[in-house]
Amino acid sequence: MAFGCSDGVLILNEDDEVFTSAFINNIDGLGDLRIGTMYGHEHAEAFIGIASQHGGGSAILANVSPVTSTMSVIDWQPETDAHAVSYGFSMGGEFFVILDDKGFVTLLEAHEEDGDTHWEFAHKIDMASASAANLAEGQSFSMAASQHEEVLFVVDPVAQAILAVDLEAETTETLLELDFEPAGAVWLGIAEEHEHDDHDH
């Protein structure tokens, strides 16, 4: 478990009902920001922290490793003046997804290095840059990740459409065309069942 604090991140580990803790101090790369949101996945060995200021503005993404108790800034290579509007893990935890206000989906992938895990820039998918130029005040892209396949559903309020972004093929298609402006999306369904070697089903 990981908790963002004003001066760092608190990591709690549980082993046979025995809890141990470690504290990772904020790094200079965060400036005056603090990590207020943490993302983790059962198949991911490192957390991703989001450091941002109240009222919006640019956010800084940080790789937080519970293995080495270290923190580092993630260069997610955004477009000029792009701001992230939504984050989340893909179904299997292979990708960490960043949706920005310029109409791009950025994928981070985990890499092993010196026995530790680091999230790094992998790909960028242009899913709606044409619509981004016409976003009105109060409009925003939003997304919901499928828990059955490596697909992201993105709400495009300008085109009044729901887009399906295939994270593996890196393709985008219009799934639904609507006659109203959608405000958001949520994935509802039955998540794909994962096999566990140490359990009988």
Side-chain angles (χ1 to χ4, degrees), residues 64-130:
V64 180
S65 171
V67 176
T68 58
S69 294
T70 57
M71 182 188 305
S72 59
V73 172
I74 300 172
D75 179 13
W76 61 282
Q77 302 183 26
E79 297 291 303
T80 302
D81 297 326
H83 297 92
V85 297
S86 188
Y87 310 91
F89 278 97
S90 64
M91 174 198 68
E94 179 181 356
F95 301 110
F96 185 75
V97 183
I98 306 164
L99 173 65
D100 67 40
D101 59 358
K102 297 298 183 182
F104 290 86
V105 166
T106 299
L107 306 181
L108 303 181
E109 282 184 323
H111 294 274
E112 299 290 333
E113 184 177 333
D114 297 329
D116 203 3
T117 300
H118 300 273
W119 288 96
E120 300 176 0
F121 173 86
H123 307 288
K124 186 180 297 183
I125 305 170
D126 182 350
M127 57 92 198
S129 60

Side-chain angles (χ1 to χ4, degrees), residues 39-61:
Y39 288 89
H41 191 281
E42 63 176 331
H43 298 304
E45 298 296 329
F47 295 103
I48 292 180
I50 311 297
S52 60
Q53 55 192 355
H54 293 292
S58 298
I60 297 175
L61 278 69

